[in-house]
Amino acid sequence: MTGPRAFAAAILLSLLAATAKAQTPLTEGIQIGLSTDAVSITAGFSGADLTIFGSLENADPLVARQGRYDVIVVLEGPPRPVVVRRKDRVLGVWVNLDSETFENVPMSYSVATTRPLQDITEPNSYKQLSLGASNLYMQPADAGGSPATIEEFTAALRERKSATGLYSENVGGVQFLSQNLFRATVRLAPNVPVGTHKARAFLFKSGLFIKESSAQLEIRKSGFEQSIFRVAHDYSFLYGVFAISLAMLTGWLGRVIFRKD
């Protein structure tokens, strides 16, 4: 009798497990896609809007109808070292006094949201996710510096990036086309850096972070500008010698042409 009873118990447990699994709601997810994996720009590039499409996976129709899903999309530029200098007036002349070097700073950072950031989730959530220009961690090269000085230079760096359009925010730039599909519009500044950019999408449900998805985008120069850019990076020494020689030749020709007898 032990065998049949054990077999029946095993079948019962399997049925209970299958029923519990069927009743367990699936976790929502998010996916994004780019229409192209590369964008070519020329010297006359004056900025553009980049459209990113995405979809929600296993979205709850009731939550979607109530508008309790929020999406934040970020296009983050390549990280590079940045030196921030502070100028002051000394004896009537503006000179560089102090400086701070930051490592792995995103050269550009464009954000698109469904709503204002303060209406989506709490500030601590943004800090934990390092989401938003004001929450990006700027790593100083000299970690032993004065915290007040580092904070001052960090604020100046963010302010400078925002003033040049490299750090931007587009409230309402993410729009739901249906309960599952959405479209995000992020801004490419006229001086957008070339290199590999990372598109990231963050899904929130009733103010709680659910999931993240990412994709890569390559921004490169095209035409004659691309040739010059490639030569300058691949043959930096020869390019430097050529640039100096050209400057000297131009100066000599100007002197010859415009000299007064």
Side-chain angles (χ1 to χ4, degrees), residues 2 10-11 42 46 48 68 97 110 114 171 185 208 225 239 241:
T2 304
I11 293 178
T42 63
S46 58
R68 292 193 284 124
L97 294 181
S110 182
T114 49
V171 176
T185 303
L208 298 177
E225 294 82 4
Y239 179 80
V241 172

Side-chain angles (χ1 to χ4, degrees), residues 55-70:
S55 64
L56 305 187
E57 298 176 338
N58 305 318
D60 187 330
L62 178 59
V63 175
R65 285 196 298 269
Q66 293 175 345
R68 292 193 284 124
Y69 283 124
D70 283 292

